[in-house]
Amino acid sequence: MIPFLNLGKVNAEYRDEIVSAMARVVDSGWYILGNEVREFERRFADYCGVSQAIGVANGLDALSLVFRAYIEFGQMAEGDEVIVPANTYIASMLAISANRLIPKPVEPELHTFNLDISRIEDSITSRTRAIMVVHLYGQIGYSDELQKLADKYGLKIIEDAAQAHGALYHCKRAGNLGDAAGFSFYPGKNLGALGDGGAVTTNDAKLADTIRALGNYGSTVKYENLFKGVNSRLDELQAALLSVKLQYLDRDNSSRRAIASKYLNLITNPRLILPGCLCQESHVWHLFVIRTELRDLFQEHLRQRGIGTVIHYPVAPHKQPAYVEWNDYSYPITEEIHRTVLSLPMAPCMTEAEVQAVIDACNCY
């Protein structure tokens, strides 16, 4: 059996370093907002090429706190609108609506799964304040064209970089393209913790300070609360092991690119539509997502061949009960994507034999 993702095997390579890092935290006697978090924030900021990184509890909080900070500044207000890809994972939209802002879904490009920039301008209104660009499945969704559009209308660009750790656009990394970015360190991510975790990156020091306070009960000085904040902090244990794994992120992303290259070149089944890749450096292949009209039958075929797969994602956000007010809306490209996508195994620890087995199983259907 080739599992979709074997996290035990993924982390086994770093086990000794992870155990050592965790023992260091246990022995320190300091478990919240200590040296490990500060050191990881420094390293991750340097890696992304930004001046600020703020560790938070998870990726959803990372995005939510960015909007909350802009509201505290008076740059956004309840009822303002944020452009967002219609086919994203629902967390992107939850971060917007949690702040009483209004998500404005826009259709993606079918080939790349990312936001179709040519469709954005028609959705901009006098209440639009930001564009959330989602680097879905690990491919950069940002572009110079998007930046020009944002500048034209005075809009913030917020990156949902939850799946794009290390991806590059013209030598700049995800997290250093817009005004701020939210990352997730959920265990299955390219840079994954052994539990939940997240971070915000930005070059805006005032924004960073506000987010840091908001995530710590609204406080910068103990028992003095500037804001009605929340508890959203990256803990010392997760920060310590993330510092270990960050050292190997580029190498692991190279392994993902090599696997993706084999899939793209050797899967020849005409029933399968392979994902588009704009350029190799812009994609870190968090997921390798194919499309097929025979999705359910093909998934069962792969299961019988011992190949694990996952559907990312079976139901579009606008069809979820959580957004019942959108259920009658039509986003045909998004709906086609959610109806036909299937994710093949993708992990840096996959062997050549495992990769070949996936390819053979795809081609013999």
Side-chain angles (χ1 to χ4, degrees), residues 157-183:
I157 293 179
I158 312 302
E159 298 174 69
D160 181 341
Q163 300 182 1
H165 314 72
L168 288 162
Y169 178 79
H170 295 174
C171 300
K172 292 180 70 174
R173 293 195 190 277
N176 187 24
L177 300 172
D179 294 278
F183 286 88

Side-chain angles (χ1 to χ4, degrees), residues 47 151 242 331:
Y47 178 81
D151 291 344
L242 286 166
Y331 296 94

Side-chain angles (χ1 to χ4, degrees), residues 17-96:
E17 290 179 80
I18 287 174
V19 169
S20 177
M22 296 179 80
R24 183 175 69 245
V25 174
V26 171
D27 292 344
S28 75
W30 194 289
Y31 308 127
I32 299 290
L33 295 183
N35 291 331
E36 298 291 348
V37 169
R38 285 191 290 271
E39 180 61 15
F40 173 70
E41 289 176 339
R42 183 192 65 78
R43 292 184 181 188
F44 194 60
D46 287 347
Y47 178 81
C48 293
V50 296
S51 62
Q52 308 287 331
I54 309 96
V56 297
N58 53 68
L60 175 56
D61 282 1
L63 293 171
S64 295
L65 287 168
V66 170
F67 290 114
R68 174 70 187 281
Y70 281 128
I71 289 170
E72 293 291 345
F73 294 166
Q75 295 182 16
M76 297 183 189
E78 180 176 343
D80 284 345
E81 299 168 354
V82 179
I83 302 291
V84 62
N87 65 313
T88 186
Y89 181 55
I90 198 169
S92 308
M93 296 187 181
L94 292 174
I96 299 167

Side-chain angles (χ1 to χ4, degrees), residues 231-245:
N231 178 7
S232 182
R233 303 175 299 204
L234 182 66
D235 70 60
E236 289 283 283
L237 280 171
Q238 301 299 346
L241 69 91
L242 286 166
S243 288
V244 170
K245 295 182 70 174

Side-chain angles (χ1 to χ4, degrees), residues 90-362:
I90 198 169
S92 308
M93 296 187 181
L94 292 174
I96 299 167
S97 52
N99 285 286
R100 299 185 181 275
L101 304 171
I102 300 174
K104 295 287 288 186
V106 170
E107 289 269 55
E109 296 176 338
L110 189 58
H111 185 55
T112 66
F113 304 115
N114 277 336
L115 186 62
D116 186 341
I117 295 169
S118 69
R119 296 174 180 266
I120 293 175
E121 195 161 19
D122 288 342
S123 295
I124 294 174
T125 73
S126 62
R127 295 304 301 270
T128 306
R129 297 291 179 267
I131 301 169
M132 181 184 285
V133 56
V134 182
H135 308 315
L136 197 62
Y137 307 147
Q139 179 157 227
I140 293 291
Y142 173 91
S143 69
D144 292 343
E145 183 184 1
L146 178 68
Q147 187 65 62
K148 290 176 183 177
L149 188 63
D151 291 344
K152 177 180 177 181
Y153 289 96
L155 306 178
K156 300 291 186 185
I157 293 179
I158 312 302
E159 298 174 69
D160 181 341
Q163 300 182 1
H165 314 72
L168 288 162
Y169 178 79
H170 295 174
C171 300
K172 292 180 70 174
R173 293 195 190 277
N176 187 24
L177 300 172
D179 294 278
F183 286 88
S184 167
F185 303 127
Y186 183 79
K189 304 298 186 184
N190 293 35
L191 181 61
L194 298 189
D196 256 326
V200 175
T201 58
T202 183
N203 287 305
D204 185 334
K206 181 182 177 183
L207 183 71
D209 289 345
T210 304
I211 290 170
R212 199 179 301 280
L214 285 168
N216 188 37
Y217 301 98
S219 174
T220 55
V221 177
K222 195 168 185 178
Y223 303 132
E224 295 181 17
N225 302 82
L226 299 172
F227 310 105
K228 296 174 183 176
V230 297
N231 178 7
S232 182
R233 303 175 299 204
L234 182 66
D235 70 60
E236 289 283 283
L237 280 171
Q238 301 299 346
L241 69 91
L242 286 166
S243 288
V244 170
K245 295 182 70 174
L246 181 59
Q247 302 172 82
Y248 303 103
L249 178 57
D250 286 343
R251 184 200 64 185
D252 289 348
N253 283 342
S254 292
S255 296
R256 290 174 178 272
R257 289 186 177 110
I259 294 168
S261 180
K262 289 182 179 179
Y263 283 166
L264 290 170
N265 289 318
L266 299 178
I267 294 176
T268 56
N269 187 336
R271 295 181 173 185
L272 307 181
I273 301 171
L274 302 183
C277 178
L278 298 175
C279 74
Q280 276 286 52
E281 70 172 9
S282 76
H283 210 318
V284 291
W285 298 102
H286 170 60
L287 297 172
F288 189 94
V289 182
I290 63 170
R291 291 194 299 114
T292 175
E293 292 291 336
L294 306 171
R295 194 260 307 282
D296 294 344
L297 292 173
F298 183 65
Q299 185 177 37
E300 175 59 20
H301 160 75
L302 292 182
R303 188 193 66 79
Q304 292 180 4
R305 292 288 296 253
I307 310 296
T309 58
V310 174
I311 299 171
H312 293 93
Y313 305 97
V315 182
H318 72 280
K319 294 297 185 182
Q320 296 283 0
Y323 287 105
V324 65
E325 66 272 24
W326 294 350
N327 286 176
D328 292 333
Y329 289 11
S330 176
Y331 296 94
I333 296 173
T334 291
E335 289 158 23
E336 179 176 346
I337 287 172
H338 287 265
R339 181 177 57 82
T340 59
V341 290
L342 187 66
S343 299
L344 302 181
M346 170 58 72
C349 61
M350 289 180 70
T351 66
E352 290 187 12
E354 288 173 330
V355 174
Q356 190 60 53
V358 174
I359 293 168
D360 293 341
C362 287

